[in-house]
Amino acid sequence: MNRHAYTIKWERFMTFGPSDHTFALCAYKESPFLEECLQSLLAQTVKTNVLIATSTPCDATRELAKRYSVKLYVRDGNPGIADDWNYAVSCADTSLVTVAHQDDTYEPEYAAHLLTAANKMDNLLIFFTNYGELRNGAKVDDNQLLRIKRLMLTPVRDGRFATSRWMRRRILSCGSAICCPSVTLNMSKLPMPPFIAEFRSNLDWAAWERFSKLPGAFYYDSKVLMHHRIHQESETSALIKDDTREKEDFAMLERFWPSFIARLLFKFYRRGQESNQL
């Protein structure tokens, strides 16, 4: 066996460990939920790396980073979701990166499930999980919107059709069922920067659409492993109010369908926006 063949064999059996993953926590201004999110990342049953990245540094964020001995990275320039997320990814020294959102929380087994899935797949692109919501501080794991998204993701549940480009594009063509903060990127297989500032609301959906064309695996873990907070001050709620979300949703549907079909789908899809408000 020649040297090249040995290299291929080694790459085939490479495994991911805790040192190969980073939670890159994006902080924006002074958030009342930042500490709760940070605590959930540090409480993982499998300890991985944690950092905080921000373009709006404040005393509260600096104090939290110091108190929990977490490294804080500060980006120069104006705040922007795509730039902030890309900067957070760039701060990590690992191939696996979870862009954690300051309002959300992660279940203790998230990192353990991620590493298990990453070691099942020869060519993991993204790992993502089922999720619940946080409403008025309480966990909500079942409502109409969550049931619809889980139904949409059933074909790729727990590794099924993980490498099928056709299947993941069909799922994405019906809406954004992948919860952005539940996603871990394998940056050794993805383009940099992962997020493009073409949208304000749907830059995550647009990223998954780009990634769906690549060879590799989308792994969906059907266990609820994080909770996404719904509150009136969230960026998503603000975008819904000024109709930005509607315009961007229709633009994304047009990437998969002719305009007349996209319009029909949009009439059904827009109803789900009501579930993102308190």
Side-chain angles (χ1 to χ4, degrees):
M1 185 179 294
N2 61 35
R3 181 179 179 181
H4 178 65
Y6 276 115
T7 301
I8 293 175
K9 184 177 180 181
W10 169 245
E11 289 178 349
R12 169 65 180 81
F13 291 101
M14 283 181 67
T15 58
F16 292 100
S19 62
D20 298 310
H21 172 249
T22 299
F23 286 108
L25 172 53
C26 284
Y28 180 70
K29 295 184 176 179
E30 186 171 343
S31 168
F33 308 117
L34 179 61
E35 184 171 15
E36 186 178 358
C37 179
L38 180 58
Q39 289 174 339
S40 75
L41 304 182
L42 296 173
Q44 294 293 303
T45 57
V46 174
K47 307 299 182 184
T48 62
N49 304 289
V50 180
L51 63 85
I52 299 175
T54 185
S55 60
T56 55
C58 63
D59 290 342
T61 302
R62 293 190 186 94
E63 193 277 330
L64 274 179
K66 182 178 180 181
R67 189 194 320 164
Y68 289 96
S69 301
V70 172
K71 192 164 184 179
L72 174 64
Y73 294 84
V74 178
R75 180 177 74 81
D76 293 329
N78 295 325
I81 298 177
D83 289 338
D84 289 347
W85 289 1
N86 288 331
Y87 176 71
V89 171
S90 73
C91 292
D93 294 326
T94 59
S95 55
L96 300 175
V97 184
T98 308
V99 180
H101 299 189
Q102 66 181 12
D103 296 341
D104 305 330
T105 62
Y106 292 76
E107 295 302 301
E109 302 86 8
Y110 179 96
H113 278 245
L114 158 65
L115 293 174
T116 298
N119 288 317
K120 287 181 181 179
M121 298 288 105
D122 292 341
N123 193 17
L124 181 72
L125 295 172
I126 64 172
F127 166 87
F128 59 100
T129 80
N130 197 351
Y131 76 103
E133 296 177 343
L134 288 171
R135 292 177 178 267
N136 298 316
K139 291 181 178 180
V140 177
D141 287 341
D142 183 51
N143 59 35
Q144 183 177 12
L145 179 61
L146 292 173
R147 289 194 294 271
I148 291 172
K149 289 191 174 185
R150 290 164 184 166
L151 181 62
M152 290 171 64
L153 292 170
T154 298
V156 293
R157 177 174 175 163
D158 299 323
R160 288 182 292 186
F161 297 105
T163 59
S164 171
R165 279 180 273 189
W166 183 89
M167 183 63 75
R168 61 196 182 216
R169 288 191 65 78
R170 295 292 66 76
I171 290 169
L172 290 167
S173 72
C174 296
S176 183
I178 298 176
C179 180
C180 182
S182 83
V183 174
T184 292
L185 310 170
N186 182 2
M187 290 310 302
S188 67
K189 304 294 183 182
L190 297 174
M192 188 66 187
F195 302 103
I196 299 175
E198 55 185 325
F199 295 122
R200 288 177 60 203
S201 172
N202 283 335
L203 72 164
D204 55 339
W205 189 2
W208 318 149
E209 189 272 333
R210 284 168 53 225
F211 302 162
S212 72
K213 300 174 184 177
L214 301 175
F218 276 34
Y219 191 100
Y220 167 55
D221 191 313
S222 64
K223 185 172 182 179
V224 174
L225 291 171
M226 59 85 54
H227 286 82
H228 175 57
R229 193 180 304 272
I230 306 299
H231 63 102
Q232 295 297 344
E233 289 74 32
S234 72
E235 180 70 8
T236 300
S237 295
L239 293 171
I240 289 172
K241 289 178 182 178
D242 71 7
D243 295 331
T244 298
R245 180 67 175 269
E246 289 193 0
K247 295 175 184 176
E248 294 189 2
D249 285 346
F250 181 67
M252 281 302 305
L253 290 171
E254 284 192 303
R255 293 192 176 186
F256 300 96
W257 304 99
S259 292
F260 74 96
I261 296 179
R263 290 184 187 282
L264 289 174
L265 288 171
F266 180 66
K267 290 180 180 180
F268 294 97
Y269 187 74
R270 69 190 302 181
R271 295 176 186 173
Q273 294 176 354
E274 298 175 359
S275 294
N276 207 68
Q277 302 181 60
L278 290 171

